[in-house]
Amino acid sequence: MKIINSFIFIFAILLFISGCGKKSEVITDKKTDVKTETNQTGKPDAELIKKGNDIFYSASKETGLKCADCHSDGTNTNNIETKFHAPVMGATKRTSVYNGMFKGADVLKNACGGTECWKTYLKNETPLTDEQVNALNAYYISVSKGDEKEFAYTTIGAPTKDKAKLKEDQTKIASLTGDAVKGGTLFKDACSFCHGKNSTVKKVPSLAENKEDVNMKSIIYHIRLGSKYMPFYSFESLTDQDVADICAFILNNK
Ligand code: HEC
Ligand code: HEC
């Protein structure tokens, strides 16, 4: 009898514990409850959109960079650099962003990849809050036309830096003949924003002054994998031939 009683007792405890487990799961879910609320007109709340717009256009104190420097929202077209990175229009409809770094429900929870850029390129110490994430998502929706499709690109810079593939790419690019004139134009569009003479972006090394460090391998490394806060470039935005041209420009230039 005693054994049966303690058996029932243990069973009850187990039931209780498993119940608790479920409960806390629901609570953690609640914490990251990120939504894209819309009002009757189908547009997100105007105040939330304004907050998202403010984040998108605020320069980081640490690096001097803002989201709008690298990503197009359809209006910041005078910054040529925005054509090398994913536009934010239609981002909330994507099922996978940042080359698979965020998938499914994690897409919205991470401002469609914005949380990663916030810490990598803006070097902000405190992470984006749920409210800021919601605000960015609302902003993306507000600038979308509604007809955007998945945005696909190929990269070896994310979700992890693929050093084996980088070696292959370095060998391949070294076998191409670079055109320094084309490379000069590409450099002006894609790199001078940070590496140019009039750049206001902080702590960017001068490629002309660091002659010993700047060689073909290092240029390809930085373009394909990125660096502390230098963005990586996909194979679609800069092809291997483009990279060979940029190398020819930089290395002849010194
Ligand atoms: C220095 C350039 C740079 C800055 C500044 C930057 N990003 Fe990014 N962002 C990238 C790169 C590189 C990727 C990876 C894919 C690509 O090249 O577009 C990316 C990816 C993304 C994506 C996912 C695109 C997709 O569909 O895969 C979103 C959304 C995004 N960033 C939002 C932001 C937001 C919001 C900010 C500001 C808090 C920001 N980014 C700041 C360079 C930048
Ligand atoms: C958003 C700003 C930004 C853009 C755009 C950018 N870079 Fe950079 N780049 C940096 C920063 C910052 C570093 C320093 C990296 C570090 O601290 O590790 C760097 C480092 C480098 C280095 C290594 C320099 C050295 O002294 O070792 C090379 C080479 C380079 N970049 C080439 C390029 C090329 C080519 C482009 C254009 C395709 C480009 N960068 C675009 C910010 C940028």
Side-chain angles (χ1 to χ4, degrees):
M1 207 50 192
K2 237 187 180 174
I3 294 176
I4 293 178
N5 265 348
S6 45
F7 196 77
I8 291 173
F9 183 58
I10 290 171
F11 188 65
I13 288 185
L14 282 179
L15 257 184
F16 179 67
I17 292 175
S18 69
C20 283
K22 279 213 182 95
K23 218 176 201 166
S24 67
E25 252 174 53
V26 173
I27 290 169
T28 24
D29 251 348
K30 261 251 153 72
K31 259 193 180 162
T32 46
D33 184 16
V34 172
K35 35 195 182 320
T36 51
E37 270 169 7
T38 49
N39 61 20
Q40 294 90 325
T41 61
K43 282 246 166 191
D45 180 64
E47 222 172 281
L48 205 55
I49 295 175
K50 163 111 196 5
K51 273 190 195 139
N53 176 290
D54 287 348
I55 300 170
F56 197 75
Y57 280 94
S58 303
S60 151
K61 285 197 186 86
E62 284 303 314
T63 66
L65 286 166
K66 40 184 173 307
C67 315
D69 288 334
C70 293
H71 297 286
S72 169
D73 65 0
T75 65
N76 52 347
T77 44
N78 54 353
N79 185 350
I80 204 112
E81 167 78 351
T82 61
K83 73 178 190 189
F84 293 94
H85 305 291
V88 297
M89 296 88 88
T92 56
K93 295 250 177 76
R94 292 172 201 159
T95 57
S96 166
V97 292
Y98 233 109
N99 200 34
M101 193 184 287
F102 306 110
K103 291 188 195 124
D106 280 344
V107 170
L108 287 185
K109 283 180 187 173
N110 286 285
C112 308
T115 54
E116 184 63 22
C117 295
W118 175 259
K119 64 172 193 256
T120 312
Y121 305 120
L122 276 65
K123 291 261 174 284
N124 286 306
E125 275 176 19
T126 44
L128 283 169
T129 64
D130 285 356
E131 201 207 2
Q132 288 173 310
V133 167
N134 280 331
L136 278 170
N137 287 337
Y139 184 62
Y140 303 155
I141 293 174
S142 77
V143 294
S144 297
K145 300 221 162 58
D147 58 354
E148 293 92 354
K149 301 196 178 72
E150 281 286 317
F151 190 82
Y153 49 83
T154 331
T155 174
I156 54 172
T160 49
K161 295 188 194 297
D162 191 335
K163 301 243 164 105
K165 288 249 172 70
L166 174 74
K167 277 221 164 109
E168 281 172 31
D169 200 36
Q170 283 169 327
T171 312
K172 194 178 159 212
I173 293 170
S175 74
L176 301 172
T177 311
D179 178 332
V181 176
K182 280 191 186 152
T185 311
L186 283 165
F187 186 87
K188 192 163 150 277
D189 289 352
C191 323
S192 65
F193 167 70
C194 287
H195 288 286
K197 284 197 192 84
N198 301 324
S199 168
T200 52
V201 182
K202 293 175 194 170
K203 295 178 207 151
V204 179
S206 152
L207 299 182
E209 279 162 27
N210 291 7
K211 289 192 184 181
E212 308 80 49
D213 299 331
V214 181
N215 51 48
M216 195 170 216
K217 270 197 165 159
S218 158
I219 298 169
I220 301 167
Y221 179 102
H222 282 82
I223 292 182
R224 288 297 182 226
L225 302 187
S227 189
K228 276 185 206 149
Y229 66 88
M230 171 166 157
F232 58 83
Y233 292 77
S234 68
F235 289 90
E236 289 78 10
S237 64
L238 288 177
T239 64
D240 283 338
Q241 184 61 54
D242 291 339
V243 178
D245 295 349
I246 291 175
C247 288
F249 170 73
I250 296 176
L251 299 171
N252 286 345
N253 218 5
K254 309 189 295 186

PDB file of all heavy atoms in Angstrom, residues 150-171:
ATOM      1  N   GLU A 150      10.886  36.744 -52.722  1.00  0.00           N
ATOM      2  CA  GLU A 150      12.056  36.374 -51.895  1.00  0.00           C
ATOM      3  C   GLU A 150      13.284  37.027 -52.509  1.00  0.00           C
ATOM      4  O   GLU A 150      13.375  37.171 -53.724  1.00  0.00           O
ATOM      5  CB  GLU A 150      12.280  34.858 -51.931  1.00  0.00           C
ATOM      6  CG  GLU A 150      11.370  34.022 -51.046  1.00  0.00           C
ATOM      7  CD  GLU A 150      11.664  34.088 -49.563  1.00  0.00           C
ATOM      8  OE1 GLU A 150      12.837  34.050 -49.170  1.00  0.00           O
ATOM      9  OE2 GLU A 150      10.695  34.187 -48.808  1.00  0.00           O
ATOM     10  N   PHE A 151      14.239  37.413 -51.670  1.00  0.00           N
ATOM     11  CA  PHE A 151      15.439  38.051 -52.183  1.00  0.00           C
ATOM     12  C   PHE A 151      16.596  37.077 -52.003  1.00  0.00           C
ATOM     13  O   PHE A 151      17.029  36.811 -50.889  1.00  0.00           O
ATOM     14  CB  PHE A 151      15.695  39.357 -51.427  1.00  0.00           C
ATOM     15  CG  PHE A 151      16.760  40.193 -52.049  1.00  0.00           C
ATOM     16  CD1 PHE A 151      16.467  41.018 -53.125  1.00  0.00           C
ATOM     17  CD2 PHE A 151      18.064  40.149 -51.584  1.00  0.00           C
ATOM     18  CE1 PHE A 151      17.450  41.787 -53.718  1.00  0.00           C
ATOM     19  CE2 PHE A 151      19.058  40.917 -52.169  1.00  0.00           C
ATOM     20  CZ  PHE A 151      18.744  41.739 -53.241  1.00  0.00           C
ATOM     21  N   ALA A 152      17.062  36.502 -53.118  1.00  0.00           N
ATOM     22  CA  ALA A 152      18.089  35.456 -53.008  1.00  0.00           C
ATOM     23  C   ALA A 152      19.453  35.978 -53.434  1.00  0.00           C
ATOM     24  O   ALA A 152      19.561  36.780 -54.359  1.00  0.00           O
ATOM     25  CB  ALA A 152      17.698  34.272 -53.867  1.00  0.00           C
ATOM     26  N   TYR A 153      20.482  35.557 -52.731  1.00  0.00           N
ATOM     27  CA  TYR A 153      21.847  35.880 -53.122  1.00  0.00           C
ATOM     28  C   TYR A 153      22.759  34.786 -52.585  1.00  0.00           C
ATOM     29  O   TYR A 153      22.385  34.030 -51.696  1.00  0.00           O
ATOM     30  CB  TYR A 153      22.270  37.257 -52.582  1.00  0.00           C
ATOM     31  CG  TYR A 153      21.978  37.463 -51.115  1.00  0.00           C
ATOM     32  CD1 TYR A 153      22.843  36.988 -50.143  1.00  0.00           C
ATOM     33  CD2 TYR A 153      20.819  38.103 -50.717  1.00  0.00           C
ATOM     34  CE1 TYR A 153      22.567  37.161 -48.793  1.00  0.00           C
ATOM     35  CE2 TYR A 153      20.529  38.277 -49.368  1.00  0.00           C
ATOM     36  CZ  TYR A 153      21.402  37.806 -48.411  1.00  0.00           C
ATOM     37  OH  TYR A 153      21.123  37.963 -47.084  1.00  0.00           O
ATOM     38  N   THR A 154      23.965  34.695 -53.141  1.00  0.00           N
ATOM     39  CA  THR A 154      24.912  33.681 -52.700  1.00  0.00           C
ATOM     40  C   THR A 154      26.072  34.362 -52.003  1.00  0.00           C
ATOM     41  O   THR A 154      26.618  35.334 -52.509  1.00  0.00           O
ATOM     42  CB  THR A 154      25.483  32.915 -53.921  1.00  0.00           C
ATOM     43  OG1 THR A 154      24.509  32.921 -54.951  1.00  0.00           O
ATOM     44  CG2 THR A 154      25.849  31.505 -53.558  1.00  0.00           C
ATOM     45  N   THR A 155      26.438  33.855 -50.835  1.00  0.00           N
ATOM     46  CA  THR A 155      27.558  34.447 -50.107  1.00  0.00           C
ATOM     47  C   THR A 155      28.276  33.374 -49.308  1.00  0.00           C
ATOM     48  O   THR A 155      27.675  32.370 -48.934  1.00  0.00           O
ATOM     49  CB  THR A 155      27.078  35.571 -49.160  1.00  0.00           C
ATOM     50  OG1 THR A 155      28.191  36.017 -48.379  1.00  0.00           O
ATOM     51  CG2 THR A 155      25.993  35.094 -48.211  1.00  0.00           C
ATOM     52  N   ILE A 156      29.574  33.603 -49.051  1.00  0.00           N
ATOM     53  CA  ILE A 156      30.314  32.712 -48.152  1.00  0.00           C
ATOM     54  C   ILE A 156      30.668  33.474 -46.868  1.00  0.00           C
ATOM     55  O   ILE A 156      31.438  33.010 -46.048  1.00  0.00           O
ATOM     56  CB  ILE A 156      31.590  32.148 -48.829  1.00  0.00           C
ATOM     57  CG1 ILE A 156      32.464  33.284 -49.386  1.00  0.00           C
ATOM     58  CG2 ILE A 156      31.214  31.175 -49.935  1.00  0.00           C
ATOM     59  CD1 ILE A 156      33.833  32.820 -49.891  1.00  0.00           C
ATOM     60  N   GLY A 157      30.063  34.679 -46.705  1.00  0.00           N
ATOM     61  CA  GLY A 157      30.327  35.506 -45.522  1.00  0.00           C
ATOM     62  C   GLY A 157      29.350  35.270 -44.383  1.00  0.00           C
ATOM     63  O   GLY A 157      29.593  35.687 -43.255  1.00  0.00           O
ATOM     64  N   ALA A 158      28.229  34.603 -44.618  1.00  0.00           N
ATOM     65  CA  ALA A 158      27.209  34.332 -43.602  1.00  0.00           C
ATOM     66  C   ALA A 158      26.426  33.084 -44.021  1.00  0.00           C
ATOM     67  O   ALA A 158      26.376  32.791 -45.209  1.00  0.00           O
ATOM     68  CB  ALA A 158      26.250  35.526 -43.475  1.00  0.00           C
ATOM     69  N   PRO A 159      25.832  32.351 -43.078  1.00  0.00           N
ATOM     70  CA  PRO A 159      25.820  32.574 -41.640  1.00  0.00           C
ATOM     71  C   PRO A 159      27.189  32.374 -40.981  1.00  0.00           C
ATOM     72  O   PRO A 159      27.441  32.944 -39.929  1.00  0.00           O
ATOM     73  CB  PRO A 159      24.818  31.567 -41.098  1.00  0.00           C
ATOM     74  CG  PRO A 159      24.411  30.691 -42.220  1.00  0.00           C
ATOM     75  CD  PRO A 159      24.997  31.193 -43.476  1.00  0.00           C
ATOM     76  N   THR A 160      28.090  31.557 -41.589  1.00  0.00           N
ATOM     77  CA  THR A 160      29.446  31.478 -41.039  1.00  0.00           C
ATOM     78  C   THR A 160      30.422  31.863 -42.147  1.00  0.00           C
ATOM     79  O   THR A 160      30.094  31.779 -43.325  1.00  0.00           O
ATOM     80  CB  THR A 160      29.786  30.045 -40.575  1.00  0.00           C
ATOM     81  OG1 THR A 160      29.447  29.156 -41.628  1.00  0.00           O
ATOM     82  CG2 THR A 160      29.017  29.669 -39.322  1.00  0.00           C
ATOM     83  N   LYS A 161      31.605  32.291 -41.772  1.00  0.00           N
ATOM     84  CA  LYS A 161      32.615  32.636 -42.768  1.00  0.00           C
ATOM     85  C   LYS A 161      33.247  31.339 -43.271  1.00  0.00           C
ATOM     86  O   LYS A 161      33.879  30.621 -42.506  1.00  0.00           O
ATOM     87  CB  LYS A 161      33.683  33.542 -42.140  1.00  0.00           C
ATOM     88  CG  LYS A 161      33.145  34.893 -41.702  1.00  0.00           C
ATOM     89  CD  LYS A 161      34.284  35.806 -41.284  1.00  0.00           C
ATOM     90  CE  LYS A 161      33.839  37.042 -40.518  1.00  0.00           C
ATOM     91  NZ  LYS A 161      32.991  37.980 -41.207  1.00  0.00           N
ATOM     92  N   ASP A 162      33.043  31.031 -44.553  1.00  0.00           N
ATOM     93  CA  ASP A 162      33.511  29.763 -45.122  1.00  0.00           C
ATOM     94  C   ASP A 162      34.922  29.929 -45.699  1.00  0.00           C
ATOM     95  O   ASP A 162      35.106  30.307 -46.856  1.00  0.00           O
ATOM     96  CB  ASP A 162      32.516  29.315 -46.204  1.00  0.00           C
ATOM     97  CG  ASP A 162      32.771  27.890 -46.664  1.00  0.00           C
ATOM     98  OD1 ASP A 162      33.921  27.411 -46.548  1.00  0.00           O
ATOM     99  OD2 ASP A 162      31.818  27.249 -47.152  1.00  0.00           O
ATOM    100  N   LYS A 163      35.931  29.637 -44.875  1.00  0.00           N
ATOM    101  CA  LYS A 163      37.324  29.881 -45.270  1.00  0.00           C
ATOM    102  C   LYS A 163      37.796  28.929 -46.383  1.00  0.00           C
ATOM    103  O   LYS A 163      38.658  29.287 -47.181  1.00  0.00           O
ATOM    104  CB  LYS A 163      38.250  29.761 -44.054  1.00  0.00           C
ATOM    105  CG  LYS A 163      37.885  30.738 -42.941  1.00  0.00           C
ATOM    106  CD  LYS A 163      38.994  31.743 -42.667  1.00  0.00           C
ATOM    107  CE  LYS A 163      38.477  32.913 -41.858  1.00  0.00           C
ATOM    108  NZ  LYS A 163      38.885  32.898 -40.457  1.00  0.00           N
ATOM    109  N   ALA A 164      37.239  27.704 -46.423  1.00  0.00           N
ATOM    110  CA  ALA A 164      37.641  26.758 -47.468  1.00  0.00           C
ATOM    111  C   ALA A 164      37.193  27.278 -48.835  1.00  0.00           C
ATOM    112  O   ALA A 164      37.965  27.286 -49.796  1.00  0.00           O
ATOM    113  CB  ALA A 164      37.034  25.383 -47.183  1.00  0.00           C
ATOM    114  N   LYS A 165      35.933  27.753 -48.892  1.00  0.00           N
ATOM    115  CA  LYS A 165      35.422  28.307 -50.155  1.00  0.00           C
ATOM    116  C   LYS A 165      36.157  29.589 -50.516  1.00  0.00           C
ATOM    117  O   LYS A 165      36.338  29.893 -51.695  1.00  0.00           O
ATOM    118  CB  LYS A 165      33.917  28.594 -50.031  1.00  0.00           C
ATOM    119  CG  LYS A 165      33.054  27.353 -49.998  1.00  0.00           C
ATOM    120  CD  LYS A 165      32.227  27.234 -51.286  1.00  0.00           C
ATOM    121  CE  LYS A 165      31.494  25.907 -51.393  1.00  0.00           C
ATOM    122  NZ  LYS A 165      30.405  25.782 -50.427  1.00  0.00           N
ATOM    123  N   LEU A 166      36.589  30.334 -49.494  1.00  0.00           N
ATOM    124  CA  LEU A 166      37.324  31.568 -49.764  1.00  0.00           C
ATOM    125  C   LEU A 166      38.609  31.246 -50.529  1.00  0.00           C
ATOM    126  O   LEU A 166      38.932  31.911 -51.509  1.00  0.00           O
ATOM    127  CB  LEU A 166      37.665  32.297 -48.455  1.00  0.00           C
ATOM    128  CG  LEU A 166      38.569  33.520 -48.651  1.00  0.00           C
ATOM    129  CD1 LEU A 166      37.786  34.670 -49.269  1.00  0.00           C
ATOM    130  CD2 LEU A 166      39.215  33.965 -47.358  1.00  0.00           C
ATOM    131  N   LYS A 167      39.320  30.208 -50.095  1.00  0.00           N
ATOM    132  CA  LYS A 167      40.574  29.802 -50.757  1.00  0.00           C
ATOM    133  C   LYS A 167      40.324  29.513 -52.234  1.00  0.00           C
ATOM    134  O   LYS A 167      41.078  29.945 -53.099  1.00  0.00           O
ATOM    135  CB  LYS A 167      41.149  28.551 -50.079  1.00  0.00           C
ATOM    136  CG  LYS A 167      41.955  28.869 -48.851  1.00  0.00           C
ATOM    137  CD  LYS A 167      43.223  27.991 -48.804  1.00  0.00           C
ATOM    138  CE  LYS A 167      44.225  28.543 -47.817  1.00  0.00           C
ATOM    139  NZ  LYS A 167      44.352  27.715 -46.620  1.00  0.00           N
ATOM    140  N   GLU A 168      39.234  28.756 -52.505  1.00  0.00           N
ATOM    141  CA  GLU A 168      38.877  28.446 -53.903  1.00  0.00           C
ATOM    142  C   GLU A 168      38.651  29.732 -54.686  1.00  0.00           C
ATOM    143  O   GLU A 168      39.086  29.878 -55.824  1.00  0.00           O
ATOM    144  CB  GLU A 168      37.568  27.642 -53.959  1.00  0.00           C
ATOM    145  CG  GLU A 168      37.700  26.173 -53.649  1.00  0.00           C
ATOM    146  CD  GLU A 168      36.330  25.505 -53.536  1.00  0.00           C
ATOM    147  OE1 GLU A 168      35.372  25.954 -54.237  1.00  0.00           O
ATOM    148  OE2 GLU A 168      36.214  24.558 -52.739  1.00  0.00           O
ATOM    149  N   ASP A 169      37.933  30.662 -54.045  1.00  0.00           N
ATOM    150  CA  ASP A 169      37.601  31.913 -54.723  1.00  0.00           C
ATOM    151  C   ASP A 169      38.859  32.751 -54.971  1.00  0.00           C
ATOM    152  O   ASP A 169      39.001  33.365 -56.040  1.00  0.00           O
ATOM    153  CB  ASP A 169      36.575  32.691 -53.880  1.00  0.00           C
ATOM    154  CG  ASP A 169      35.832  33.729 -54.701  1.00  0.00           C
ATOM    155  OD1 ASP A 169      35.549  33.442 -55.888  1.00  0.00           O
ATOM    156  OD2 ASP A 169      35.554  34.826 -54.184  1.00  0.00           O
ATOM    157  N   GLN A 170      39.775  32.749 -53.995  1.00  0.00           N
ATOM    158  CA  GLN A 170      41.025  33.507 -54.166  1.00  0.00           C
ATOM    159  C   GLN A 170      41.828  32.958 -55.345  1.00  0.00           C
ATOM    160  O   GLN A 170      42.365  33.714 -56.147  1.00  0.00           O
ATOM    161  CB  GLN A 170      41.860  33.448 -52.865  1.00  0.00           C
ATOM    162  CG  GLN A 170      41.326  34.391 -51.795  1.00  0.00           C
ATOM    163  CD  GLN A 170      41.949  34.162 -50.430  1.00  0.00           C
ATOM    164  OE1 GLN A 170      42.283  33.036 -50.084  1.00  0.00           O
ATOM    165  NE2 GLN A 170      42.085  35.205 -49.628  1.00  0.00           N
ATOM    166  N   THR A 171      41.862  31.618 -55.468  1.00  0.00           N
ATOM    167  CA  THR A 171      42.588  30.995 -56.581  1.00  0.00           C
ATOM    168  C   THR A 171      41.925  31.363 -57.908  1.00  0.00           C
ATOM    169  O   THR A 171      42.595  31.710 -58.879  1.00  0.00           O
ATOM    170  CB  THR A 171      42.592  29.456 -56.421  1.00  0.00           C
ATOM    171  OG1 THR A 171      42.959  29.161 -55.093  1.00  0.00           O
ATOM    172  CG2 THR A 171      43.531  28.791 -57.400  1.00  0.00           C
TER     173      THR A 171
END
